Amino acid sequence: MAGSGPRVGVLALQGDFREHLAVLGGLGAEAIPVKRPEELASIQGLVIPGGESSVMDKLSRMFGLADPLKAAIRSGLPVYGTCAGLIMLADTVLDAIDGQQTLGGFDLVVRRNAFGSQLDSFETDLEVPAIGGDPVHAVFIRAPIVESVGERASALASLPDGRVVAVEQGNLLGTSFHPEMTGDTRFHEYFLAKVGSA
Ligand code: GLN
């Protein structure tokens, strides 16, 4: 995916990284899959896709990416996590599998698979004041919920019952849902603006 815009990586260990590469490339970014620690040095931002956070966690440690990723997040690299990616960024995860770790950095408590088996997947429209305009059509797939937003983080969107599903904290952005699947590029544009001003 060539582009004249910023060089933005998508963690490509597992999950729907191809969809993010396509959206970012379509917005003019130079979008590259990231699988090796060396690839972190040249990127100006990173997306961590949806997928399965426990698998992504294991693979990131196996491939020696977890520690360099933690260092990059702490040094201020803009990072956007969707669904499993949001879980990877959270400081605390509830209902994790045994031994599951996260990269952390985002001052949040996130609960995995928060909608249970009754409501594995659903779609709804969300008001997102920070993004403006029409509501965002949000696709949730075995999604996490943000159970508590720490002092350093803030909520960007909630479900009608008040449960938080989009968050930011400085250079970090997270959504429980999957904007890469709907053709609505406003969250990716919002993220690229962070990359541009970092
Ligand atoms: N349930 C998955 C997890 O725990 C997340 C699902 C998704 O990314 N769509 O990682």
Side-chain angles (χ1 to χ4, degrees), residues 4-88:
S4 52
R7 196 170 156 87
V8 177
V10 180
L11 190 64
L13 297 174
Q14 191 266 338
D16 75 333
F17 55 89
R18 291 174 195 83
E19 286 79 355
H20 283 285
L21 288 168
V23 175
L24 292 165
L27 291 172
E30 187 188 345
I32 60 155
V34 169
K35 284 187 177 145
R36 285 189 294 266
E38 310 83 81
E39 289 156 346
L40 290 174
S42 68
I43 56 173
Q44 293 159 266
L46 178 73
V47 172
I48 306 184
E52 173 46 55
S53 57
S54 58
V55 177
M56 227 181 273
D57 163 44
K58 275 188 195 141
L59 293 175
S60 68
R61 286 188 275 142
M62 198 182 288
F63 294 143
L65 263 165
D67 287 333
L69 279 170
K70 286 181 193 171
I73 293 165
R74 277 151 188 76
S75 74
L77 181 73
V79 185
Y80 174 24
T82 59
C83 204
L86 170 62
I87 297 171
M88 291 294 290

Side-chain angles (χ1 to χ4, degrees), residues 1-167:
M1 306 267 160
S4 52
R7 196 170 156 87
V8 177
V10 180
L11 190 64
L13 297 174
Q14 191 266 338
D16 75 333
F17 55 89
R18 291 174 195 83
E19 286 79 355
H20 283 285
L21 288 168
V23 175
L24 292 165
L27 291 172
E30 187 188 345
I32 60 155
V34 169
K35 284 187 177 145
R36 285 189 294 266
E38 310 83 81
E39 289 156 346
L40 290 174
S42 68
I43 56 173
Q44 293 159 266
L46 178 73
V47 172
I48 306 184
E52 173 46 55
S53 57
S54 58
V55 177
M56 227 181 273
D57 163 44
K58 275 188 195 141
L59 293 175
S60 68
R61 286 188 275 142
M62 198 182 288
F63 294 143
L65 263 165
D67 287 333
L69 279 170
K70 286 181 193 171
I73 293 165
R74 277 151 188 76
S75 74
L77 181 73
V79 185
Y80 174 24
T82 59
C83 204
L86 170 62
I87 297 171
M88 291 294 290
L89 288 173
D91 279 342
T92 305
V93 179
L94 305 177
D95 292 339
I97 70 161
D98 266 1
Q100 180 173 354
Q101 300 176 19
T102 70
L103 302 166
F106 220 142
D107 190 6
L108 304 171
V109 178
V110 165
R111 184 180 297 279
R112 282 178 70 234
N113 301 336
F115 297 94
S117 52
Q118 301 296 308
L119 200 57
D120 247 10
S121 303
F122 65 99
E123 303 185 15
T124 190
D125 289 331
L126 295 172
E127 297 286 347
V128 189
I131 285 199
D134 291 340
V136 172
H137 188 68
V139 175
F140 293 80
I141 303 168
R142 292 179 59 75
I145 206 84
V146 179
E147 290 245 340
S148 105
V149 180
E151 263 174 25
R152 289 179 296 130
S154 53
L156 293 180
S158 308
L159 294 170
D161 64 9
R163 288 186 289 177
V164 173
V165 291
V167 276

